[in-house]
Structures are given as structure tokens and as C-alpha cells.
Amino acid sequence: NAGVTQTPKFQVLKTGQSMTLQCAQDMNHEYMSWYRQDPGMGLRLIHYSVGAGITDQGEVPNGYNVSRSTTEDFPLRLLSAAPSQTSVYFCATSKGDQPQHFGDGTRLSIL
Amino acid sequence: EDKVVQSPLSLVVHEGDTVTLNCSYEVTNFRSLLWYKQEKKAPTFLFMLTSSGIEKKSGRLSSILDKKELFSILNITATQTGDSAIYLCAVSLNYGQNFVFGPGTRLSVLP
């Protein structure tokens, strides 16, 4: 049982490049979320999904895109990377009112 | 605007000390308050609190919620070096999704 799997673990991009951060879960959780974590700012919600085919914006959605075609996968796309998007990205899943389970994160640097 | 505040932001203690971490919140549609411990990677769940005045305990850690004064505390007794981590407080706003995180308290326990 892998839980929440994020890939890649590390990535370096150049400004203007695009890429997709992957998140996969095998717990059959209906809720999935993407957060970014910056020093001193805790976790900020980027986008979330309450089920396949349904997504919504969080606190800091600009520059990011998501889709949810299956229960298991919730990829996060950076459309045109900017240095301000340098951060650690976490995917989280949950079911009902239960606490979220987090992946190990993707450390992203944009030059 | 929904807000979660934690104090102190950083704390250094010696093994054996007792620490109290604080979390206050101003949110609409409060459902629950959660505490997480984050070491090097993913945050791991500690407690979920929904009712005022009921202490939750797990070993040397305990937590309590005051919904009238809108705060929670996390106590750690007889601290150990393994308690060194960032402790995150989060508030769940509605059913299932939409958690607001505080900035975290970085605890360092020296031998």
C-alpha cells in the first residue's frame, strides 16, 4: 500500500518552461489537494478536487492548472514556470471528515 | 479572510523540558482543528479536535481546543531530540476539503 506518491522528488526548471507534477493515491480517497510550502508561510492551498471530474481553486491558483480524470491521479501543471514558483509542493488526500494524508513532496527550483 | 496564527514561530529547548505551542484562528464555518508534525518530508497527523475542552493525548503529547476563545494548544512533556520538527496547525472549514494552515512552529530540542 503506497499511500500518496509524488513524482518527481526534485526538479530544476528554467523560467518559461512547463512541467507536470504527478500525484497518485491508492487509498480510494475522494478528496485530493495540492499545496505549496514556503519558509514561514505554512502550507497554502493551490487547487483541490472533491472527486473525479471536479476541481476548484484554492488560495494561490495563479500559474497552475489541474485536472482529475480518475480517482487515483491529480496532476499539477505549471504552465510557464516563474522564479516565484520555487517551492516545495505537497499533494494530500482525504476521505470524508478524516485528516489528510500527505505525499513526500516535490522540491521545485526555477532559475 | 480566514486566518490561522501560531506562536511562537521558533522555539529552542533542552531535553526534558515541557513546551506549549499555540494556535489561534479566525475562520468562517469552523469544522475541526488539526495538528501535524513535519520532520524532513510529509506532515504526519497528530490530533484532530472538534469539541471544546476535551483533551486528546498520545504519549507525551496532548492537545485541547477552546472554541469560545478560538485557540488550541499542543503540549509536549519531557521533550526528546526526536521531537524536533515543525508543528503545523490547520483548520478545516467545511465538509472534507479546504484546510487553512498556520505558518508552523519550528521546535528544536537540544540534548
Side-chain angles (χ1 to χ4, degrees):
Chain A
N1 189 346
V4 183
T5 302
Q6 288 186 237
T7 56
K9 294 191 187 330
F10 304 95
Q11 184 71 46
V12 179
L13 292 178
K14 293 182 179 178
T15 297
Q17 288 184 313
S18 62
M19 81 158 294
T20 299
L21 280 62
Q22 302 290 346
C23 176
Q25 56 114 347
D26 61 1
M27 297 179 288
N28 200 31
H29 286 176
E30 64 264 40
Y31 302 110
M32 297 186 76
S33 301
W34 276 104
Y35 293 89
R36 59 178 290 173
Q37 186 174 32
D38 302 295
M41 300 190 73
L43 292 162
R44 291 185 292 167
L45 183 64
I46 304 171
H47 286 284
Y48 65 97
S49 169
V50 300
I54 306 169
T55 63
D56 207 347
Q57 295 181 350
E59 180 187 354
V60 289
N62 292 338
Y64 306 95
N65 208 353
V66 293
S67 59
R68 182 100 179 267
S69 55
T70 67
T71 300
E72 294 77 21
D73 298 297
F74 190 43
L76 177 73
R77 295 181 189 85
L78 277 69
L79 308 172
S80 177
S84 61
Q85 294 178 303
T86 293
S87 189
V88 181
Y89 291 84
F90 286 99
C91 177
T93 74
S94 63
K95 190 175 183 70
D97 260 349
Q98 296 307 304
Q100 292 179 310
H101 295 257
F102 286 85
D104 283 342
T106 294
R107 186 174 294 274
L108 182 63
S109 293
I110 299 163
L111 307 176
Chain B
E1 182 185 344
D2 299 313
K3 187 168 62 174
V4 175
V5 177
Q6 292 185 245
S7 64
L9 295 181
S10 181
L11 186 59
V12 180
V13 300
H14 287 91
E15 272 191 319
D17 289 348
T18 292
V19 299
T20 297
L21 309 183
N22 304 292
C23 175
S24 62
Y25 59 92
E26 292 179 29
V27 301
T28 55
N29 299 317
F30 173 91
R31 287 192 62 85
S32 61
L33 186 143
L34 301 93
W35 286 97
Y36 288 87
K37 177 182 182 182
Q38 184 178 25
E39 296 176 86
K40 293 188 176 164
K41 292 184 177 177
T44 54
F45 170 72
L46 294 174
F47 298 111
M48 182 166 72
L49 305 157
T50 54
S51 301
S52 277
I54 299 175
E55 185 182 50
K56 294 216 170 179
K57 288 190 64 121
S58 177
R60 297 176 293 102
L61 277 66
S62 63
S63 183
I64 197 162
L65 173 67
D66 186 327
K67 290 170 74 173
K68 182 180 175 187
E69 300 297 329
L70 308 183
F71 79 90
S72 172
I73 61 172
L74 175 68
N75 279 320
I76 308 175
T77 59
T79 52
Q80 302 171 357
T81 55
D83 295 325
S84 296
I86 297 172
Y87 289 84
L88 296 166
C89 173
V91 172
S92 169
L93 298 183
N94 50 34
Y95 180 73
Q97 252 341 322
N98 208 349
F99 295 80
V100 180
F101 281 80
T105 293
R106 182 180 293 274
L107 174 66
S108 299
V109 182
L110 304 179

